[in-house]
Amino acid sequence: MKIAIASGKGGTGKTTVAVNFALALEDVQLFDCDVEEPNCNLFLGFELEPVEEVTCLFPEINPDKCTLCGNCADFCRYNALAALPKKILLFPSLCHGCGGCSFVCPVGAVEEKSRSIGIIEKASSDAPLKFFHGILNIGEAMATMVIKSLLRHIDESKPAIIDSPPGTACPVLAVLGFADYCVLVTESTPFGFHDFLLALKVAKALKVPVGVVLNRDGLGDSRVEDFCRDEGIPILLRIPNDRMIARLYSEGIPFVKEMPEWKEKFEDMFETIKALAFKSTGVQ
Ligand code: SF4
Ligand code: SF4
C-alpha cells in the first residue's frame, strides 16, 4: 500500500507529517519525492549512500552532417532547440530526452548522448527505517524523471509513505498517480483552503481516495472542516498549534520521538487509511 502525503503548497507541514507518520509505524518505508528540496532527512539525520544516478538522453548535433533544415527545432515542443542561420542551438536544461529530434532528422546528424539529471540515495542498512530520497540537479527541469526512478525502489511487500512535492504540477501527478491513498495536509486559513481545493481537484481527477490532516489546528477558521464534512472527506488527524510541537520542529526533532502519545494517533490514522483505501479501491 502506497500512501502519498501531499499539500497544495509548501509550508503546510507535509514533511513533518510524512516523517512522524513513518517513524510511528513498524516496518514501513519512507520515500522523499520532493526532489527539488528533499527535507525529510533533515529530521531523520540518517547516513545516506548513493544507489542510482538518474540520467537522460540529450541530442548532440554533428555540424558536418547537419544541413540546417530546421526539422528538429520545429519538432521540439519543449523549445530545447533553436535553428539559427548558421547552427542549431541546444538548451540542455529544456530537453526532455524524447528522442524526437533524432527521429525527424533526415540526414542522421543528431546523436543521442547521456547526461546526469539527479541522484537517488538511501539510508544505510543499519538505519531504523527504510528511507530513500531523490535529488534533482540544480537547473534541471526533469523532476518527474527522478521521481519515477525513485519510486521504482519501493518494496511492494511493505507499506510505503511517500512525501510528495508541494503544489499541483507534473511531479505531484507522478506521485499521486502512483498512490493508493492521498493524505492532504492543510491549514484552515483562507490561503490554505484555496491551495487545498487545488490539490483535492488533482487527487479527484486521478481517482485517488483522499483524507485530510489539519495542521496547526486551532488557527484560522472552520472552512476546511466545513467543506470536508459537506463533501464526506474524512479528517484523519488534527495536529494542534502546540508550543512543544513547534519547538521540536524548529530543533529538527520529529515530535513523535519526544511525545510518545502521538505514536498511537498515527497508528490509528494508518488503520483508518487502510480501511478507507480498501473500501474505495480494494487495496489491502
Ligand atoms: S530530445 Fe526531444 S526534447 Fe530534447 S531536444 Fe530533441 S525533440 Fe527536444
Ligand atoms: S533536423 Fe538534422 S539536418 Fe535538420 S537542422 Fe536538425 S540536425 Fe540539422
Side-chain angles (χ1 to χ4, degrees):
M1 162 142 199
K2 298 177 279 288
I3 304 169
I5 314 293
S7 65
K9 67 179 180 81
T12 56
K14 176 179 62 61
T15 296
T16 309
V17 170
V19 168
N20 282 285
F21 190 23
L23 289 173
L25 304 178
E26 307 289 328
D27 211 19
V28 293
Q29 317 158 73
L30 175 62
F31 280 72
D32 188 347
C33 284
D34 190 356
V35 299
E36 288 178 69
E37 210 173 342
N39 278 339
C40 287
N41 203 43
L42 296 180
F43 297 93
L44 296 166
F46 292 152
E47 290 286 324
L48 298 176
E49 53 195 49
V51 278
E52 181 189 342
E53 187 176 22
V54 185
T55 58
C56 137
L57 291 175
F58 74 103
E60 197 169 88
I61 292 169
N62 182 339
D64 296 334
K65 287 189 184 172
C66 177
T67 60
L68 295 170
C69 71
N71 282 5
C72 52
D74 290 345
F75 177 86
C76 183
R77 66 188 182 100
Y78 300 105
N79 295 320
L81 292 168
L84 304 184
K86 292 191 176 167
K87 71 182 286 196
I88 301 295
L89 203 60
L90 169 71
F91 303 97
S93 63
L94 297 180
C95 173
H96 280 57
C98 71
C101 48
S102 109
F103 185 72
V104 298
C105 178
V107 294
V110 181
E111 287 166 24
E112 290 190 284
K113 298 274 165 81
S114 172
R115 76 165 196 276
S116 168
I117 56 166
I119 189 168
I120 310 294
E121 294 179 326
K122 69 169 185 169
S124 52
S125 48
D126 56 352
L129 175 69
K130 186 175 176 188
F131 171 73
F132 283 71
H133 75 184
I135 306 173
L136 181 71
N137 290 348
I138 290 168
E140 289 291 348
M142 308 272 281
T144 302
M145 196 176 262
V146 177
I147 288 171
K148 285 184 174 166
S149 298
L150 178 57
L151 293 175
R152 280 198 281 273
H153 291 275
I154 285 184
D155 175 353
E156 295 284 339
S157 70
K158 289 180 185 176
I161 293 164
I162 308 169
D163 190 12
S164 161
T168 51
C170 297
V172 180
L173 299 186
V175 172
L176 293 192
F178 188 77
D180 301 308
Y181 195 88
C182 172
V183 173
L184 276 182
V185 182
T186 187
E187 294 166 4
S188 205
T189 59
F191 286 130
F193 183 58
H194 173 260
D195 293 307
F196 162 73
L197 290 183
L198 292 177
L200 182 64
K201 208 169 158 185
V202 173
K204 281 196 165 169
L206 294 169
K207 299 190 170 31
V208 187
V210 170
V212 166
V213 169
L214 270 178
N215 194 22
R216 297 190 193 97
D217 190 30
L219 287 180
D221 52 37
S222 66
R223 68 185 71 199
V224 170
E225 200 164 349
D226 295 343
F227 178 86
C228 288
R229 190 188 51 240
D230 294 346
E231 295 292 318
I233 297 167
I235 305 268
L236 302 165
L237 190 68
R238 294 163 190 275
I239 302 177
N241 186 39
D242 177 277
R243 210 180 252 194
M244 173 105 166
I245 290 176
R247 181 179 64 74
L248 291 168
Y249 176 82
S250 68
E251 292 171 9
I253 301 169
F255 63 81
V256 79
K257 284 189 174 176
E258 304 281 325
M259 303 167 81
E261 67 275 20
W262 279 91
K263 185 170 165 26
E264 202 176 317
K265 293 183 194 201
F266 280 110
E267 284 168 351
D268 290 348
M269 178 164 95
F270 184 51
E271 292 307 316
T272 305
I273 289 172
K274 279 200 286 190
L276 290 169
F278 178 67
K279 203 167 132 195
S280 21
T281 64
V283 172
Q284 289 192 57

